[in-house]
Amino acid sequence: QSDENGEFSSAFKEMISDLPRRKGLHLNDLFQYQGFWYYPIFLDGVMRAQQHFQAQPSDVILCSAPKTGTTWLKSLAFAIMTRTSFDDSTSPLLSKMPHDCVPFLEFDLSHASINNQNRDPGGIPLLATHIPYSSLPQSIKAEDSGSKIVYICREPKDAFVSYYHFVARRMESLRLEEAFELYCEGVQFYGPYWDHVLEFWRASLERPQKILFLKYEKMMEDTVLHVKKLAEFIGYPFSLEEEENGVVEKIVKMCSFENLSKLKVNQEGKHREGTPVVIQNKVYFRKGKVGDWENYLTPEMAARLDLITLQRLSGSGLTL
Ligand code: A3P
């Protein structure tokens, strides 16, 4: 695995050389590990997390596939958990982008040599990951771990269109039609998407106290209701007084796409500056709409993806 300078060890290079590989949307090779596709720098982090990460009983772990509402969920959970220290005029969310407020397990916490040392001792017990349920570090899933998992998913056509723009706006990449083919095959960063969603869905049915399963579209429909549900689930319920004082609505407003996307930090700042995967913050805030796929996919493409989704989710009780 990689050293402090991000150089992969020969053992890691040898290990990934044996894995199935496909060219991904970024035109770089994706490697298939435990059934899911990764770029090496993140796979390195996934393996480190699996080996070293020790969940704490108070941890809240936000899980998602890429482009399904991670940034929004991070901001909401962070605002909920820090509301006794900050309000909507002092929150760190106003000067730091949500990804810089909530560490990312397979990068921020495991890229340095021993991941747990990267946790801020005075920090809030909140972290996020894109790791699929089956590959999560054992300490997170353990029956006695105490930590909570919150999963967010999104309608696949919108998730695809969002991911396509996330990459195509920044670098040379496949054309939309080619990217679509790969997505349908499941060859996508942390894909196949349906497997990612289904694993958390099934786990949430088996362990409802441990895993809260959320949908981006439902949260858009009634954000206040979902923020209350989220706060209750992670052990930070709103008091009657807080509800009467409009604290929930203030959090919803502060974390809204309209508000976050206009902040200077999210328009001009950069995430992971100084690393090979630096990204402008504004790329994380594109439109924040439900149904934007209609502007990019032909009716044939949409019907094909809908059919795959129907087939893949069949019998699960889940609809997307
Ligand atoms: P679009 O590309 O469809 O606009 P992720 O955070 O998992 O990377 O997902 C990114 C998607 O969430 C993008 O969707 C982005 O615009 C949207 N998003 C970002 N912040 C949001 C917010 N506060 N509320 C709702 N959607 C948000």
Side-chain angles (χ1 to χ4, degrees), residues 115-269:
N115 68 81
N116 274 354
Q117 286 176 358
N118 269 17
R119 299 191 77 174
D120 172 3
I124 59 161
L126 179 65
L127 58 131
T129 180
H130 288 323
I131 301 179
Y133 185 76
S134 55
S135 295
L136 280 177
Q138 207 40 47
S139 69
I140 296 179
K141 288 189 286 188
E143 287 300 333
D144 58 353
S145 97
S147 59
K148 298 272 189 184
I149 292 176
V150 180
Y151 186 73
I152 186 164
C153 70
R154 190 177 187 188
E155 196 281 319
K157 298 191 294 303
D158 275 344
F160 165 71
V161 165
S162 182
Y163 190 68
Y164 174 75
H165 284 102
F166 183 69
V167 176
R169 282 182 173 195
R170 292 182 290 129
M171 58 184 83
E172 198 189 340
S173 58
L174 295 178
R175 287 184 305 113
L176 181 91
E177 293 71 20
E178 297 168 318
F180 182 78
E181 286 301 320
L182 278 187
Y183 190 82
C184 288
E185 281 184 58
V187 183
Q188 198 221 353
F189 192 32
Y190 290 93
Y193 180 59
W194 301 274
D195 293 350
H196 201 287
V197 176
L198 274 174
E199 284 191 358
F200 279 96
W201 169 248
R202 293 200 173 110
S204 75
L205 295 181
E206 277 166 27
R207 306 173 72 188
Q209 307 305 322
K210 171 87 178 171
I211 304 166
L212 176 66
F213 189 94
L214 299 172
K215 294 180 180 174
Y216 182 91
E217 296 74 21
K218 292 277 172 212
M219 284 180 55
M220 279 287 194
E221 263 171 41
D222 192 341
T223 313
V224 167
L225 179 85
H226 283 85
V227 165
K228 286 191 209 166
K229 202 169 158 181
L230 172 61
E232 178 93 35
F233 182 80
I234 61 180
Y236 294 73
F238 292 99
S239 66
L240 207 57
E241 196 188 345
E242 283 180 309
E243 291 200 17
E244 282 168 6
N245 289 337
V247 175
V248 186
E249 285 78 5
K250 280 184 189 162
I251 286 178
V252 169
K253 197 167 167 208
M254 179 174 72
C255 298
S256 69
F257 181 88
E258 291 66 33
N259 187 56
L260 291 185
S261 62
K262 283 199 194 101
L263 296 174
K264 190 166 188 266
V265 61
N266 293 329
Q267 291 199 344
E268 296 173 12

Side-chain angles (χ1 to χ4, degrees), residues 66-72 154 162 216 220 255-257 260 284-288:
K67 314 321 291 174
T68 60
T70 318
T71 314
W72 189 22
R154 190 177 187 188
S162 182
Y216 182 91
M220 279 287 194
C255 298
S256 69
F257 181 88
L260 291 185
Y284 286 96
F285 302 90
R286 192 181 64 97
K287 287 191 185 171

